[in-house]
């Protein structure tokens, strides 16, 4: 085996053992790490019921059609800010867990696939009602001014 062959095998072995972001199966790249940081900052803002901080992580061009053909449930950034504030105001308590399972980056756009588990209480006229939701979700991101921002999926 020549040195060149040995070097190629060594590089292939190193690539197969790519470093992962701690606590995930996501390759540890600058973009992936930045996207995971945005997701975690969003989770922390929601746990604190801080809609203003959560909105700082959202793209100016945010748009989500909620997966339906009806325009009545579409959200742009302005509508998201209003809905987020109103929703969090009705929740005396919220605990959100997010597990990122995959990130795909394509230039200045990216998608993050995650599992969420949320536990919260909703204030109603009859008192607080405990709720729990869990599901799979996809968030899209756009790089703006060197920073990743949430473009849809909230």
């Amino acid at each position: 085996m020549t040195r060149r062959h040995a070097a190629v095998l060594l590089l292939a072995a190193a690539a197969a053992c790519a470093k992962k972001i701690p606590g995930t199966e996501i390759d540890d790249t600058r973009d992936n790490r930045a996207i995971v940081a945005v997701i975690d900052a969003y989770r922390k803002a929601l746990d604190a019921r801080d809609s203003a901080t959560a909105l700082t992580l959202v793209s100016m061009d945010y748009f989500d059609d909620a997966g339906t053909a009806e325009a009545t449930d579409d959200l742009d950034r302005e509508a998201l800010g209003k809905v987020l504030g109103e929703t969090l105001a009705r929740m005396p308590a919220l605990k959100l867990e997010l597990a990122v399972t995959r990130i795909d980056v394509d230039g200045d756009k990216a998608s993050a696939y995650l599992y969420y588990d949320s536990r919260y209480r909703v204030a109603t006229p009859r008192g607080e009602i405990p709720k729990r939701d869990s599901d799979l979700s996809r968030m899209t991101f756009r790089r703006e001014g060197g920073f990743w921002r949430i473009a849809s999926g909230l």
Side-chain angles (χ1 to χ4, degrees), residues 89-108:
R90 290 191 314 265
M91 293 181 172
L94 170 66
K95 178 65 178 165
L96 179 63
E97 294 179 22
L98 298 171
V100 182
T101 59
R102 185 174 111 201
I103 296 176
D104 298 326
V105 176
D106 184 13
D108 287 339

Side-chain angles (χ1 to χ4, degrees), residues 89-92 121-131:
R90 290 191 314 265
M91 293 181 172
R121 290 191 316 264
V122 178
T124 71
R126 300 180 118 187
E128 294 179 8
I129 299 172
K131 298 277 191 175

Side-chain angles (χ1 to χ4, degrees), residues 34-36 38-39 42 57-66 75 80 100 102-106 108-114 137-144 147-154:
I35 290 166
V36 167
V38 171
I39 292 168
Y42 177 73
L57 304 167
V58 174
S59 169
M60 294 305 288
D61 296 323
Y62 181 90
F63 182 79
D64 199 321
D65 65 7
L75 287 178
L80 174 67
V100 182
R102 185 174 111 201
I103 296 176
D104 298 326
V105 176
D106 184 13
D108 287 339
K109 295 182 180 180
S111 293
Y113 300 84
L114 43 104
S137 183
R138 180 177 80 110
M139 297 170 81
T140 64
F141 293 80
R142 183 174 295 119
R143 192 185 335 248
E144 296 175 352
F147 297 97
W148 286 103
R149 301 281 185 229
I150 303 166
S152 70
L154 299 180

